[in-house]
Amino acid sequence: MRRAVNFLQSLHRLHEDEITPDDVRDVAILCPSEKIDEVIREARSKSYENMLTKVQALLQVKNIFFLFSSCFKDGYPAGQFMHQLQDAVIADDAIEDFQKVNIINQIGKADHALTDGADEKVQILAIVSVLQRELSR
């Protein structure tokens, strides 16, 4: 409750005239749902190399190691990205239950690894790899 009040106070200070849903997402540090949907859409491609090429072109990066740095350059935390990706996977009726289990299992492993101090880029790469493997079946 306190967090919600702080968000609303910050929103009022920043946007006195009108508060839009995008303003709320910015203050709450939520990744845009379009980015999450784009990751899932690209993961459905049959080729891992094609997926990486499309995502690299989308983000205008030349190297895969800079890809995830580019994803988070806007300041979105990896943990938030993982939680939103998990919610999107659960809500997607086109994904079979056994696929959801494997994807969510990898998200859980990555979350645990991040808690233990692992590198965000490596964990996100592992999640996207499992996501692509499961959705291309």
Side-chain angles (χ1 to χ4, degrees):
M1 180 71 161
R2 182 180 203 144
R3 187 174 179 192
V5 170
N6 287 341
F7 281 154
L8 290 174
Q9 288 174 340
S10 296
L11 282 166
H12 177 68
R13 284 188 204 114
L14 293 171
H15 309 280
E16 291 181 10
D17 297 334
E18 182 180 356
I19 298 173
T20 65
D22 288 334
D23 297 334
V24 175
R25 279 189 220 88
D26 286 344
V27 170
I29 313 173
L30 295 176
C31 302
S33 59
E34 298 84 27
K35 287 188 178 185
I36 304 293
D37 294 340
E38 185 66 27
V39 168
I40 292 174
R41 193 172 27 253
E42 292 299 331
R44 283 195 168 98
S45 73
K46 297 292 182 191
S47 167
Y48 187 70
E49 288 79 20
N50 277 347
M51 182 195 73
L52 290 179
T53 303
K54 288 178 183 177
V55 174
Q56 287 172 350
L58 176 71
L59 297 174
Q60 298 177 353
V61 293
K62 305 263 190 247
N63 187 322
I64 187 61
F65 294 110
F66 295 113
L67 173 64
F68 297 107
S69 297
S70 175
C71 285
F72 299 110
K73 72 178 180 188
D74 292 334
Y76 300 115
Q80 183 63 39
F81 176 80
M82 291 187 320
H83 292 296
Q84 285 183 251
L85 181 63
Q86 177 180 330
D87 292 342
V89 167
I90 290 170
D92 193 337
D93 293 333
I95 302 174
E96 297 292 329
D97 288 342
F98 73 94
Q99 293 172 314
K100 289 179 182 182
V101 167
N102 292 332
I103 295 166
I104 292 169
N105 185 37
Q106 183 61 43
I107 292 172
K109 288 178 184 177
D111 190 36
H112 182 265
L114 287 174
T115 302
D116 287 344
D119 185 15
E120 290 181 343
K121 293 178 216 169
V122 173
Q123 298 310 313
I124 296 297
L125 184 59
I127 291 170
V128 171
S129 297
V130 170
L131 180 70
Q132 195 276 330
R133 183 189 70 208
E134 291 299 323
L135 296 184
S136 66
R137 286 185 181 191

